[in-house]
Amino acid sequence: MSAAARLPWGTVWQIARRDLNARFKGLRLLVLCIFLGTAALAAIGTLTAAIERELAANGQELLGGDIEIALWQRGLTDEERSALAAYGTVSEGFRLQAMAVAGDNAAPVELKAVDAKWPLYGALTLADGRNVGAPQGRDAWLAKGALDRLGIAVGERFTIGSVTLRAAGVIANEPDRLSEGFQLGPTIIVAEGVPAVAGLLQPGALYQTKQRVAFANPASTPETVEEALNERFPSAGFTIRTRDRASPGADRFVRQMSDFLTLVGLAALVIAGIGIAGGVSSYLDQRRNSIATFKVLGATSADIVRIYALQIAIAALVGSLAGLAAGVLVTPLLSAALQGLLPVESGFVIEPLPLVLAASYGLLVAFTFAAAPLLRARAFPAMALMRSGIVPLARDWRALGATALGLAAISALALATTAQPLLSGGFLLGAGSALIILAAIGWALQRLARALPRPSNPILRSALANLHRPGAPTGALVTALGFGLAAFVLLAAVQSAIDGNIQQRVPREAPDYFVLDVPRDKEPRFFAVVQEAFPDAALRTVPTLRGKVLAFGPKDKMTRVADLAELPEGAWSLRGERGLTYSDRLPQGNRLVEGSWWSPLHNGEPLVSIDAEQARAIGVGVGDYITIGILGVERTARIANLREVDWENMGFNFTLVFSRNALVDAPHNLSATIDLPDGADDAARGALLRTLVRELPSSSVVEIGGLLVEGRKLLEQVALATLAAAAVTVLAGLAVLLGAIAAARAARTYDTVVLRVLGASRRQILMLQLAEYGMIAGLLALVALALGGVLAWIVITAVFSFDWLPDWPVVLGVLGIGLALVLAFALAGSLPLLKAKPARALREL
């Protein structure tokens, strides 16, 4: 028929609108799948874009300047200060651990000393609503946690070191809090001169100086200034951060969460696509008589496509719009879960580009997976459609070609818009491979069912025959159930692996206290104070310094870290300053893997021991050299051995351990751990803490219990956010399971009616459904375990860089729940079949 004979668009629209149920009966699965996929992508894109925009727009305020230079155990030299001043206004200050005391209460705090120019950007807001700057004289701004632990109110006094301070206000919003990193105690902000007067800046004390610069010239770029400073002061040990990376930890976390959420979104799309294909097939199967009638009355194949494409487009558009709205509405919940971890707005956020992208994905996926069943109905003549209930239609490979073209378009869009093309490309390739594998399993299952001997039990015999009879939906069921059950495995494996990392990385047993900055000449007194209170306490002290790796490699061909365009992958020890120590013996909990330990009396060439994993990442070995900078002085040592370090324990662990003669002359103090006997009395603990503060006023005592609680809270926040995101795949999986069973139910009507006419009971029909789905689900349980497990492994190890620690009993239990749901859905889907009237059903075939 010529194009002129086609129905006009107005008529096509009228037919489509009249035939389309207002409640989308028959297309609800399509609407649900599009809704879930679009909602996931909208929430993911909106949250990620909002965080990235906040980091980019407020980088100066988050950092406290355009550029920051941090140094350990020393301040700037006159030359360094002059160089910074040439770029603009410089604000200097100190960061250190300290002990605050008020009466009988003592608390470890993060002491932040700032000058009168602080903050260069933003403002400090107090709980009473005032916007203030640096405190004056002996006033201090305190975090609420510090007030609570000290048991004081605003206006009352407390002591740090040898200085008495007044609590002048409670911190409500600290503009540069995120860039300060993880805290070992609540913040107290004081004037710049307080730490020195309090006696906390003695030689060897572990304090950090921070210098922030607000550029005077708007044309100055942080990257150019950073490069110039590193070139002019290559051995200074500067740790430099810029407004573009105000919080590297936050940047890494955003990148990891973005990668994870990208995988979740793509997984939801793949699963939703399978559901859409099943839903559209079922819908068009219900409409086959209408389609055949249209063709008999003269409608062209193009008319058929336009009528039902319009219906599918309306349903997809409704699902997409509802998904966009849900994505925007759920973003505040995800923001609340990440509150404190990332700079994210607490209210509703509208990010146009992610929403447009999510809607584009939803509509593209809808038409890609709807193309095959739609073109299949278009291609066959009216008589074949009318007889398709008992004589299944043959495959239309041209329709499958349209689906392949749509998949290519989706893949191209995903690769063009992702920040991680390798990750997304790998996932899409894996999803495609999984589809091929599941299709092959479906084909093999049908061949196997055909080859197996017929069971004597009539129910099992019929169930086995249903797997390979003409028109059997076994292939579609295998694909849908495989991905649906894999979603359950993915959720359980990711969640249990994160829980496992929480248990392993935040140990339940650890020393009771860390003590920082114990003067070397006060070590005997420190031991005496603790052992007088607790004779059975276990004590350990180690020398502690801070330094930065400046160069590494063979002695005559060392590589300067400052000359590297980017650090080697995994070489985190080259980033910034690190804790250093020296020891005459192999540290407790370490194991030599190469080389030998030096003699306690060693007095020759300075030696160093390095963590074996870091040695591999950096590319050094025994016999190579490492140069470090301590207090602006370079020191070079030969690598004598490689160690395996147990980073999971809460004791002292160092990447670099030197021989005594390499570092003993540098100013330094000791760090210590105190492990009290089990059942130590709380009152005695408090008395010990107060005595330590009185005897060692410049030292800082950190209670490990509170630190563990904070660590657990942070990891649990991550776990909650990942659980909420991964739950989307399970919801999509449930929708696919329901859709697959609903689509198969339509094909089962004729079989059920015939069986009932032949005398089958309701119980036998239900048992037949259970047997058929039980055989398929039982086989696919192993496939889903492998598919979901591999994806979870990628998420945990490649995205989050966690250890692979799933709780397999939990994973298997959740998979069992998925299998139970499949059988429950199968039973529920069979109940309407029992109500079908044989005469009416046979007439409609």
Side-chain angles (χ1 to χ4, degrees), residues 644-660:
E644 184 179 274
V645 181
D646 179 13
W647 295 105
E648 308 300 339
N649 70 64
M650 288 291 288
F652 290 112
N653 291 309
F654 294 88
T655 303
L656 300 173
V657 178
F658 291 81
S659 58
R660 177 181 293 271

Side-chain angles (χ1 to χ4, degrees), residues 246-258:
S247 179
D251 290 341
R252 287 193 296 273
F253 184 73
V254 169
R255 185 169 61 252
Q256 289 174 330
M257 285 301 295
S258 177

Side-chain angles (χ1 to χ4, degrees), residues 424-508:
S424 298
F427 174 80
L428 291 170
L429 182 62
S433 301
L435 282 171
I436 294 173
I437 292 171
L438 287 172
I441 291 174
W443 175 83
L445 181 59
Q446 289 180 297
R447 293 292 298 268
L448 179 63
R450 187 177 295 114
L452 287 174
R454 301 176 67 186
S456 58
N457 185 293
I459 292 178
L460 291 179
R461 185 168 61 250
S462 297
L464 193 64
N466 280 343
L467 295 179
H468 65 80
R469 66 177 176 80
T474 305
L477 282 174
V478 165
T479 302
L481 296 183
F483 272 100
L485 293 173
F488 284 84
V489 174
L490 169 65
L491 177 67
V494 167
Q495 189 63 27
S496 65
I498 291 177
D499 290 342
N501 277 270
I502 291 175
Q503 298 299 323
Q504 185 182 75
R505 296 190 177 208
V506 187
R508 298 190 178 277

